[in-house]
Amino acid sequence: MHSGPAPLSGLRVVEVSSFVAAPSAGLALAQLGADVIRVDPPGGGSDANRWPLARSGASLFWANLNKGKRSVAIDHRSPEGRELLLALACAPGPDAGVLLDNLVGRHRLRYEDLCERRPDVIHAHIEGHNDGSPAVDYTINAEVGVPTMTGPAETQTPVNHVLPAWDLLSGMTVAMAIVTAVLHRCRTGEGARLELSLADLALTGVGNMGWLAEADSSGRARPRQGNHMFGAFGVDFETADRRRVMVVALTGAQWRALREVTETSAVFAALQDVLGADLDDEGDRYRHRETIAAVLRPWFAQRDFGTVEQLLRAAKVLWSPYLDMAEVAHRAAGDASSGASRIDQPGIGPMLSTGRPLRWNSVTTGPVPAPVMGEHGAEVLAEVLGLSTREIGRLRDRGIVGGADCCGSPIGDLPCTI
Amino acid sequence: MHSGPAPLSGLRVVEVSSFVAAPSAGLALAQLGADVIRVDPPGGGSDANRWPLARSGASLFWANLNKGKRSVAIDHRSPEGRELLLALACAPGPDAGVLLDNLVGRHRLRYEDLCERRPDVIHAHIEGHNDGSPAVDYTINAEVGVPTMTGPAETQTPVNHVLPAWDLLSGMTVAMAIVTAVLHRCRTGEGARLELSLADLALTGVGNMGWLAEADSSGRARPRQGNHMFGAFGVDFETADRRRVMVVALTGAQWRALREVTETSAVFAALQDVLGADLDDEGDRYRHRETIAAVLRPWFAQRDFGTVEQLLRAAKVLWSPYLDMAEVAHRAAGDASSGASRIDQPGIGPMLSTGRPLRWNSVTTGPVPAPVMGEHGAEVLAEVLGLSTREIGRLRDRGIVGGADCCGSPIGDLPCTI
């Protein structure tokens, strides 16, 4: 893996965050070269011990969402710590003055307070609902109807999906907004107040696919379709050796490839006369999905996975095997082109990790470790605020600033690094 | 809804796209003020009739993913049409020269061909796998292990989630990359070749939450947990009137609020002694999630939804009701603060639609209609390439350029607009 270019090199972002959305925004910026300084209370914030955990007890979650950032521990709930944080966020320089946070309640940072210190500040804030009330992906997803659409057709209760999709999408949306605001500030000199609620983001998400419009015009919720893809043909099949594959015929070419490899063209030609359907039409493929699946199922059931794989690949059918996460990890670790590799994460040891998926002029960036909590406190305070070693020492003595060497770290039991 | 500021105003992006990922990238740019010109073959591309459909037969999917763009129909599979597309993408001007596409196969546009015409072009390409082979969200999701983690604990087969989360996340990732490349070009004069595969994006997605590292270090896939949130306490409950709510106690404060409102503090205090657990620890709450749920379940089962709602809200418990999409749409349409409203979409009529969730200086942008396919052909070719009415007429006569008035439109049966 080559070290990539750094298009956001020089941009400094102060991140006061927890959980997925805001940290993933900072991660995206860091992976494009920004200097992202994550600020946590000494000892770590509410996500410091979030599962999954490594054998050492350190959080694999935290270590993967904070790769390549610098870490500063500041007790920003104290008045002095808050001043320090505001000073960091509003430090001078054309590429500084960017704050990303998802703080809630009385410790929330106000745009007006930042603006007073730096009128062209860019402040990006992620919240649950747009009235400031909290929410997490798992509650928001319930509110926007997705769990009632997910799962086997016969299911009577909601099925949560495990992927915190709205969190990840919120993070990237805010990362995009921050870069847009930096561009805007370069051009106009103006800062920006950027706010995004998970709830608004999720509602527009289901809106953008036409799901809101569909329910509004029909007055009905779409019934569950199990593993069938909506509006075309796509479903899972079991092979003779009990492996599973997901097969999709969304376009005409994909439908032709699937019929040809399974030698069912004549069957479907005859069948569509009986059905009064045009199976070249994606809607008719969807309407008759159960029949199509029933015709195709024996072909898969009669062949083991190796044969299915070889034949589908040669025929250019659109498909994938279902893998469990252990298989995904095993494959990724063994395949250099996956971009994943084991790195040495302080407090954890060898950790399978990923880098930036985007290729910029054909170059990706591989995984890098996350910092130890508080690791860069002295470095950042000296560099950004010009504090002396003595001043930093006083802040530490009074517990305003933590460090990896004095306040412990949720990333396992670590040797002192500063 | 106020009309918002337009931080990307003046930026022109040519989008040759289909389905979700690339169109959602263009949508995000358009919603920040960019002039996004979507190019389709005359009659529409492979997503022109994608479900859900309106009663008129027009695609609610297409209309919602292409809001606020301009539409030009060019037969870019013909040599002359291809030249026209390259000329549009590489038109001069500091804010032009940006192409976004997800073309596959022999019609794919090569960065080198674009670069020849405009050395500082920004070319963003979304693909299935990083070897160029196709994939869609539903196949990628199977490959990265999520369906084997989703669904009731007793399920033996994969459960697909219906939300095309990787598509949406890919779109926003590419939108962010494009803005970053524009900023980089402003600063350095250099263009950029940007490439993202759904497969790489999804692998880093599961990597960023520590799921790859977890499976790699344990050698095992995490078992399904039904609707339980992983690593803390969160699960669904049924109320007396058979409504469902999702309740989460991720932080200490949320756990306290939940115990207090359900008057179970003494129960859990006694219970943790018996269990030898510390339920203030999120991991122990997760380990004992079934026991905690069993203790809490009667409280919900004994109260109807209205009472549960009132009590949970007053106690600041983190929770949400499960809604189906008809309820989501009904709520959104009736709540001005949701940002959703019914607009008049040509070919469809009144359509419940959403705008930009991001607030920029406290302003969002409301929903706007999508174009009629080919609506802006003459306008764009005259404006961007300086073609005369006669030249455009000749291109139309030969079928190189389509228009809403001559080639039909997948957006229902429409009155001529140009």
Side-chain angles (χ1 to χ4, degrees), chain A residues 26-318:
Chain A
L27 178 63
L29 296 166
Q31 288 180 332
L32 283 163
D35 172 23
V36 178
I37 299 170
R38 175 158 166 158
V39 177
D40 284 280
S46 50
D47 62 346
N49 300 304
R50 186 94 182 88
W51 285 33
L53 305 180
R55 280 184 197 140
S56 67
S59 171
L60 293 169
F61 173 96
W62 202 94
N64 275 283
L65 278 162
N66 295 294
K67 289 172 290 206
K69 301 178 187 175
R70 296 201 279 178
S71 172
V72 176
I74 296 177
D75 178 14
H76 53 81
R77 293 164 197 166
S78 73
E80 201 174 349
R82 190 180 173 87
E83 281 305 312
L84 213 52
L85 172 57
L86 290 170
L88 270 183
C90 298
D95 283 347
V98 181
L99 175 72
L100 160 65
D101 87 279
N102 68 332
L103 294 172
V104 286
R106 62 200 164 91
H107 300 299
R108 192 172 160 175
L109 295 170
R110 292 172 64 242
Y111 171 71
E112 292 75 8
D113 292 340
L114 294 157
C115 228
E116 224 170 69
R117 283 160 180 82
R118 181 168 171 155
D120 68 346
V121 72
I122 295 168
H123 178 205
H125 175 67
I126 301 182
E127 60 194 357
H129 293 103
N130 64 25
D131 64 1
S133 64
V136 292
D137 189 281
Y138 316 92
T139 55
I140 287 299
N141 199 43
E143 278 178 32
V144 297
V146 180
T148 65
M149 300 167 75
T150 306
E154 63 278 11
T155 312
Q156 298 297 317
T157 51
V159 175
N160 291 354
H161 58 210
V162 294
L163 184 74
W166 304 119
D167 272 344
L168 294 172
L169 191 60
S170 292
M172 201 55 80
T173 301
V174 163
M176 187 224 176
I178 287 174
V179 180
T180 303
V182 170
L183 177 66
H184 183 72
R185 188 170 68 182
C186 285
R187 287 177 165 174
T188 65
E190 293 168 9
R193 173 185 193 165
L194 310 170
E195 294 163 291
L196 180 71
S197 80
L198 290 182
D200 290 348
L201 184 279
L203 189 71
T204 63
V206 296
N208 288 345
M209 288 173 295
W211 295 358
L212 280 184
E214 178 191 25
D216 185 54
S217 69
S218 73
R220 292 195 316 272
R222 185 195 300 174
R224 282 194 168 87
Q225 312 299 346
N227 281 347
H228 284 285
M229 179 183 178
F230 179 69
F233 182 75
V235 78
D236 57 321
F237 292 101
E238 193 173 71
T239 62
D241 48 352
R242 311 211 60 183
R243 295 280 305 274
R244 289 233 159 215
V245 292
M246 176 72 195
V247 176
V248 171
L250 178 56
T251 66
Q254 291 158 1
W255 171 232
R256 197 177 322 114
L258 179 58
R259 279 178 296 152
E260 286 174 3
V261 72
T262 56
E263 297 178 325
T264 51
S265 296
V267 180
F268 287 115
L271 193 60
Q272 62 186 355
D273 292 341
V274 178
L275 296 170
D278 172 12
L279 297 180
D280 288 332
D281 175 82
E282 63 201 76
D284 273 1
R285 287 201 294 281
Y286 181 65
R287 289 186 192 95
H288 297 289
R289 61 192 178 276
E290 297 287 7
T291 310
I292 296 172
V295 169
L296 295 173
R297 202 166 284 125
W299 188 87
F300 291 90
Q302 287 162 9
R303 286 164 179 81
D304 64 17
F305 177 77
T307 308
V308 166
E309 177 175 37
Q310 191 192 335
L311 293 172
L312 295 186
R313 188 175 292 171
K316 302 203 169 182
V317 169
L318 185 58

Side-chain angles (χ1 to χ4, degrees), chain B residues 255-286:
Chain B
W255 171 231
R256 195 177 323 113
L258 179 58
R259 278 178 298 151
E260 286 176 3
V261 72
T262 56
E263 297 178 325
T264 52
S265 296
V267 180
F268 286 115
L271 192 61
Q272 63 184 354
D273 291 341
V274 179
L275 296 171
D278 172 12
L279 297 181
D280 289 331
D281 176 81
E282 64 200 75
D284 271 1
R285 286 200 295 282
Y286 181 66

Side-chain angles (χ1 to χ4, degrees), chain A residues 7-8 19 27 29 32 49-52 55 60-61 64-65 67 95 127 130 134-136 138-139 142-145 147-151 157-166 168-169 172-173 175-177 179-183 186-187 192-196 200-201 203-204 207-217 219-221 227 229-231 244 246 248 250 282-283 286-287 318-326 328-329 332 337-338 342 351-352 354-355 357-361, chain B residues 7-8 19 27 29 32 49-52 55 60-61 64-65 67 95 127 130 134-136 138-139 142-151 157-166 168-169 172-173 175-177 179-183 186-187 192-196 200-201 203-204 207-217 219-221 227 229-231 244 246 250 282-283 286-287 318-326 328-329 332 337-338 342 351-352 354-355 357-361:
Chain A
L8 293 182
F19 302 114
L27 178 63
L29 296 166
L32 283 163
N49 300 304
R50 186 94 182 88
W51 285 33
R55 280 184 197 140
L60 293 169
F61 173 96
N64 275 283
L65 278 162
K67 289 172 290 206
D95 283 347
E127 60 194 357
N130 64 25
V136 292
Y138 316 92
T139 55
E143 278 178 32
V144 297
T148 65
M149 300 167 75
T150 306
T157 51
V159 175
N160 291 354
H161 58 210
V162 294
L163 184 74
W166 304 119
L168 294 172
L169 191 60
M172 201 55 80
T173 301
M176 187 224 176
V179 180
T180 303
V182 170
L183 177 66
C186 285
R187 287 177 165 174
R193 173 185 193 165
L194 310 170
E195 294 163 291
L196 180 71
D200 290 348
L201 184 279
L203 189 71
T204 63
N208 288 345
M209 288 173 295
W211 295 358
L212 280 184
E214 178 191 25
D216 185 54
S217 69
R220 292 195 316 272
N227 281 347
M229 179 183 178
F230 179 69
R244 289 233 159 215
M246 176 72 195
V248 171
L250 178 56
E282 63 201 76
Y286 181 65
R287 289 186 192 95
L318 185 58
W319 75 288
S320 281
Y322 282 91
L323 303 176
D324 69 28
M325 201 57 75
V328 176
S337 78
S338 77
R342 291 195 190 92
M351 179 178 82
L352 184 60
T354 47
L358 178 83
R359 284 168 280 155
W360 186 294
N361 295 342
Chain B
L8 293 181
F19 301 116
L27 178 63
L29 297 166
L32 283 163
N49 301 303
R50 186 95 180 88
W51 286 31
R55 282 183 195 141
L60 293 168
F61 173 96
N64 276 283
L65 278 161
K67 289 172 290 207
D95 284 345
E127 61 194 356
N130 65 24
V136 291
Y138 316 92
T139 55
E143 278 179 31
V144 297
V146 180
T148 66
M149 300 168 75
T150 306
T157 51
V159 174
N160 290 354
H161 57 211
V162 294
L163 185 74
W166 304 119
L168 293 172
L169 191 60
M172 201 55 80
T173 303
M176 187 223 176
V179 180
T180 305
V182 170
L183 176 66
C186 285
R187 287 177 166 173
R193 175 184 191 163
L194 310 171
E195 295 162 291
L196 180 71
D200 289 348
L201 182 280
L203 189 70
T204 62
N208 288 344
M209 287 172 296
W211 295 357
L212 280 184
E214 177 191 25
D216 185 54
S217 69
R220 291 195 317 271
N227 280 348
M229 180 183 177
F230 179 70
R244 289 233 159 215
M246 177 72 196
L250 178 56
E282 64 200 75
Y286 181 66
R287 288 186 191 94
L318 185 58
W319 75 288
S320 281
Y322 282 93
L323 302 178
D324 69 28
M325 201 56 74
V328 176
S337 79
S338 77
R342 291 194 189 94
M351 179 178 84
L352 184 61
T354 48
L358 177 83
R359 282 169 282 155
W360 186 293
N361 295 343

